[in-house]
Amino acid sequence: MTDRISEALKRYWGYDRLRPLQREAMECVLRGRDSIVVLPTGGGKSLCYQAPALLLPGLTLVISPLISLMKDQIDALVGCGIPAGRLDSSLSAGERSRVSRELGAGGLRLLYVSPERLIAPGFIDFLRGLGVSSVAIDEAHCVSMWGHDFRPEYRRLGLLREAFPEIPIGAYTATATEQVRRDIAVQLRLRAPEILVGSFDRPNLVYRVRRRGEGVRQIRAAIDRHAGESGIVYCLRRSDVDRLTATLRRHGYRAVSYHAGMSDEERHRSQNAFIGEEADLIVATVAFGMGIDKSNVRYVIHAAMPKSLEHYQQESGRAGRDGLEAECLLLYSGADYLTWKRIIQESEPQTVENGLEKLGQMSRYCRGVSCRHRAILAYFGQPPGAEPCGACDICLGEVGGVADSLVVAQKILSSVLRQGERFGANYTAGVLYGSREDRIVANGHDRLSTHGILKTESRSAVRDWIEQLVEQECLARVGDYGVLKLTGRGRRVLAGEERPLLLEAPKTGRAPKAAVEKDSWDGVDRGLFERLRGLRRALAAEAGVPAYVVFGDATLRDLARKKPANPGALLAVFGIGAKKLELYGPRVLAEIRAYAQLPPGPEGGR
Ligand code: ADP
Ligand code: ZN
């Protein structure tokens, strides 16, 4: 059984190895056991039911909530030479009867169906006649009201159990909480399901967090680290999206916008430009992303802080789904916190407390000074990974500690005391920085011994250190105005009994490369890579499919590394199976040959 899995994987997908828990999940399906599979975004859930579908005799039924998602998956399957089809409300009568015909002739291995279609009268009887051998329920958390994406139609999926009592049902989701998991088992009436929960760590994501200064400059620097690659920039408001897109375009970036204030057609155009790689980046509100399955997103930038770590995990998780390195940069400021606080306080009364708690944890993450991977795992209640992780700003040492942290902290704390513990962070930073603004002078605080005591530092650095002292519980922020007061720990620091850690203001310019970034570019001929990207764009446009359906980034890199000269060598490249060889082999080989014949030099790209 095991070998058949590997064989199918190589032959159809061109993959050599399974990802964690994929084999276990596939074996459940093959042995006829129900399962709940929880893997993070990009963990490779779809393969868990797609590969068994090829090895089981009959039809695999897949329930999926989003038409765009189904469409992409089917494009990808057909691109690998696997007959698959879908039935949903968006099909024309002609398309529907074609799919029905193919089903009748036993020509399809996988059938994707929307939940609405499934519960339509007579549909189950229709399915019974087709010889269904396994059922997969994608985005299974949609059955649970505890999840973040409840869909009432999903509640009725329990009827599958009655309709197909003998057939294994697999439920797949990226939402990990116990409560949701239990709910899935109950609602879908699973029988002693095997529960497989993967690690939520995404070691290929490099997390960076920065206080937002000149936002646009910071964003451009990050985009420039990924010239010509695909990325998403998330903004808080629609107006921010429009403004940032305009600015970036003025500077020559190939950027498009996406938010709920645009017409359906405009949004479609943006999305297609992004997926077809006519645009390199999409600037969006969080309205963008659900149902987008672009696997080669190389960076996700948050221009503002999200309202919870769940949201951050989900949005940043859209980077690097192909397993290659990707960067997640989060820019935050105190203003984001206040904006969210207001929005949360105006929402349903029973959600306020929980919302503020999550917001507080998000904010602590931003100001935190320990490994980002570890902090996220801890939040989701998972065991920590290795440290240093080698893939976050803290572990990479990009944010160094201030040499005399203790002395600087004492200066700040004593200023707070001398000001009578009656002022907020901005005011305190002003005093320390030596500002002569009216209210400081009016309060006589320009005569304090701490006035101007940190004037050689930038005001934003001082402001940052105050936040770090709050995060390390040396200072507490009290009341509506966020008045600063010393805590017990703060007093011990003042007495020199404890040492906090204050971070150096981040240096501008290039961020150093994380190990994951270096590895996957090892030996890749960048000039050839660029040419192959152009070819991919052309092939995708001709076939009318997204670029990553033709080849993923990992495949392009492997091609530009191995430079195969014949069909046999092509098959040894990651992500190239029999079908891809047949469809694209000749054009790829011709491109590589043409590149090799270019004279070396700048035009040759080498
Ligand atoms: P999920 O649904 O869990 O977010 P997907 O099933 O969409 O993830 O998989 C993400 C990407 O990883 C896809 O491009 C998929 O083809 C690829 N992938 C899945 N399993 C493997 C594997 N074993 N080896 C290489 N690539 C894989
Ligand atoms: Zn780390």
Side-chain angles (χ1 to χ4, degrees), residues 9 13 15-19 22 39-47 73 138 293 295 321-323 574:
L9 208 68
W13 282 275
Y15 297 156
D16 296 318
R17 260 185 303 278
L18 286 154
R19 297 213 177 129
Q22 280 183 326
L39 288 175
T41 307
K45 290 182 283 296
S46 4
L47 220 61
Q73 290 220 2
D138 208 2
D293 192 13
S295 64
R321 293 177 71 151
D322 52 12
F574 176 87

Side-chain angles (χ1 to χ4, degrees), residues 4 17 36 40 69 76 98 116 122 130 158 165 187 225 249 284 337 351 368 380 405 423 434 452 454 545 597:
R4 284 163 62 213
R17 260 185 303 278
I36 297 178
L69 210 76
R98 185 177 51 80
E116 296 81 0
L130 296 175
Q187 300 293 333
R225 286 200 284 275
R249 291 179 76 106
Y337 178 87
T351 63
F380 287 107
S405 281
F423 299 89
L454 291 174
V545 295
Q597 279 154 12

